[in-house]
Structures are given as C-alpha cells and as structure tokens.
Amino acid sequence: MDQLSQLQDTAEKITSMEIRGAGRIAKAAAVALRDYAKSLEVGSIGEFSRHIENAAKLLVDTRPTAVSLPNAVRLTARYTSADVEEAREEIINNAEQFIKQAGDALQKIGEIGGRRIRDGDVIMTHCNSHAALSVITTAFGQGKDISVIATETRPRRQGLLTSKHLLDHGIPTTLIVDSAVRYCMKEVDSVIVGADAIAVNGALVNKIGTSQLALAAHEARTNFLTAAETYKFSPDTILGEFIEIEERSVDEVIDKETLAGLPELNVRNPAFDITPPEYIDLIITDVGAVPPGMAYSIIKDHLGWEIGDMV
Ligand code: RI2
C-alpha cells in the first residue's frame, strides 16, 4: 500500500468505527500522520506543508465529536523548521511523544481514579472507555473487592467489549440494557464513564445515554465520575465554539428491511450527548482529579491557546 492509501485506510477505519474510542482514534491518527510524514517525497517545504495539511484535514474530518482527534492531529502536525528533513523529524517526534504520553496518561488516570474506589463498591459504566476501565482495573488490582454493572450501549453494543475486558481481568460483571439504568442505580456506589470531549464549562460530551446515567446518579445521590486525559479537553470551546454531535447512519439502529416496511418512519442516531457540569462530581485526568469548574485551567495550562486554531 502506498503512503496515501495507508492514510486513507486509517481514515476509513476511524469513520467506520473499526478503530474506535476517543483515545484510540487519537493514537491511530498520530501514527498515520507519522508514517505519512516519514515516507512523503516532496521537493520543497511548501509542498510538504500542503500534503501534511491535507492529511491532517482528512483525519480530523472522519469523526466530528471526539476532540481527542483534532488535538492529537494538531499536536503531531506542528513543526517550526523550514527544512523538509527537519520538519519531517519534528512530526515523527511529536507523534512518538503523543503516543507515549497517551499511554502514560491512561496509567496515571488509573492510579488517581483507583483511589476514589472503595472496597466493596459497585460501579456502573457506559459504553467502552479505556480511561474508565483503567480506573476500574487499577482499583481491582489493588485488591479491592468490586463489581461492575455495564450498560449494553445501543446501537453498537460496546458494553459487550467492556464486559469481556472486565471478565478477562476477573472482575464480576453484570450486563444490563440501557433502559435498566435508573432501576439499577440504587445498587451503585459510583458511576465511571469516559469522555469524548470536555468543554471549557466542564460539560462532558460522551456516548449517547451518558447524561441519563448522570441524571439517575444525581437523583440517587450516587457519585458520578468521568475519566478524561487532558487531550480530551476542548480548546476551541474557550473561543466560543460548540462541539458538534455526530449523527451516524440509521442502519446502526434499524435494519433496511424493517425500515422499508415503515416508509414514513423518521429514525435518528445521535452518537453522543452532553452531561451538564452540575451532574459531575469529579473529572479524573492524568494531572489530577478536578471538579468540572477547573476545565478552563486544564485547557490553559496543559493544552495551551495556540493549539486551538492550527487546523
Ligand atoms: P476512551 C467512545 O466513543 C465512548 O464514548 C467512550 O466513552 C469514549 O469514546 C472514550 O473512550 P466511540 O468511539 O478514549 O465508541 O476512554 O463512539 O477509550
């Protein structure tokens, strides 16, 4: 496969969700940009720059909601040198650094978040978040006797991936349908979910249905935590931008044959929803457990203004 086909292949896998999860798509994009930059044959820095910009745009346009993706692309694609070989080297180093830091962040989130879990806790989680799973498996690894209620997460049923991951670690796990969340909440000590984006006001954008868990947790006075690497905070929201909510194909919700029998039926498939900051007790990040009101500081101190308007 040539360099461009490889890049397009990664973009296609992110769009189709063969590669999914806010952290994984970010890392896949960094790897794709690194490999593209490595083998790019150009005659001038101008040409190099055009190719990198196009590649960055192709990757960013695959999925609109997870801010981890544009953040990873911006952190990887930037360079200062006007020499092609040096610029290439900068991009390769940026990618390596991002991938390493993303791995370290997951471990750090596990350590920090694991302390919030007590022996005997029942935890509810939604979708399939590696950051949330890092918290849960770290707590279990510390010898805490915990169990997990995993939601199915329609329409793509990522709850099955979560259940498998937890069972592989030996953690007792119960799968429920999404509509059983409120019924089961009275048994739960803490809800832990991942994040596709955190806005400057501390609002959480995550898999559709997350805000229902938050609402039920709020009603039951149950802790609601989200685990989010710093690169999942959105610098653009400081500049007043909204986070776009991805609407995916209705084929994920209803099969074509059934839909053909109901020609007047309107079907929607929003992939994410927004949980307001007042329903979130803590955001577990790689630089500490912070209340939602600290989102501005995380963006300013750990991402910086300059990454907001690069792509
Ligand atoms: P990690 C996923 O999105 C879920 O919404 C999950 O909570 C979030 O990414 C974060 O996942 P999707 O790709 O980065 O399934 O913690 O739509 O693995």
Side-chain angles (χ1 to χ4, degrees), residues 29-39 76 91-93 95-96 99:
V31 168
L33 267 180
R34 178 196 66 191
D35 295 347
Y36 185 65
K38 246 184 207 171
S39 54
T76 303
I91 291 181
I92 294 169
N93 290 340
E96 301 292 353
I99 294 158

Side-chain angles (χ1 to χ4, degrees), residues 108-109 112 226-230 233 283-290 298:
K108 199 78 200 149
I109 282 175
I112 295 170
T226 173
E229 297 90 327
T230 48
F233 286 68
I283 306 175
I284 313 293
T285 81
D286 37 308
V287 293
V290 299
I298 297 282

Side-chain angles (χ1 to χ4, degrees), residues 56-93:
K57 188 167 172 356
L58 178 77
L59 291 165
V60 167
D61 286 348
T62 51
R63 294 194 73 191
T65 303
V67 73
S68 52
L69 183 60
N71 280 350
V73 167
R74 284 160 175 168
L75 290 166
T76 303
R78 59 183 173 181
Y79 56 86
T80 51
S81 178
D83 173 81
V84 172
E85 289 317 311
E86 285 176 10
R88 193 197 304 280
E89 215 35 52
E90 281 188 65
I91 291 181
I92 294 169
N93 290 340

Side-chain angles (χ1 to χ4, degrees), residues 121-127 136 146-152 159 162-163 166 171-177 180-181 183-192 213:
D121 274 0
V122 177
I123 296 156
M124 184 182 280
T125 191
H126 186 54
C127 197
I136 297 168
I146 57 175
S147 62
V148 177
I149 298 176
T151 56
E152 182 186 20
T162 292
S163 299
L166 292 166
I171 302 175
T173 303
T174 304
L175 184 75
I176 59 168
V177 294
V181 161
Y183 178 77
C184 295
M185 191 57 78
K186 50 187 170 298
E187 300 160 26
V188 175
D189 299 292
S190 272
V191 175
I192 304 176
L213 270 75

Side-chain angles (χ1 to χ4, degrees), residues 20-23 63 127 129-131 158 195-196 206-207 232 272:
R20 54 147 296 279
R63 294 194 73 191
C127 197
S129 157
H130 294 86
Q158 289 99 321
D196 286 85
N206 194 48
K207 184 55 56 192
K232 290 179 183 164
F272 301 97

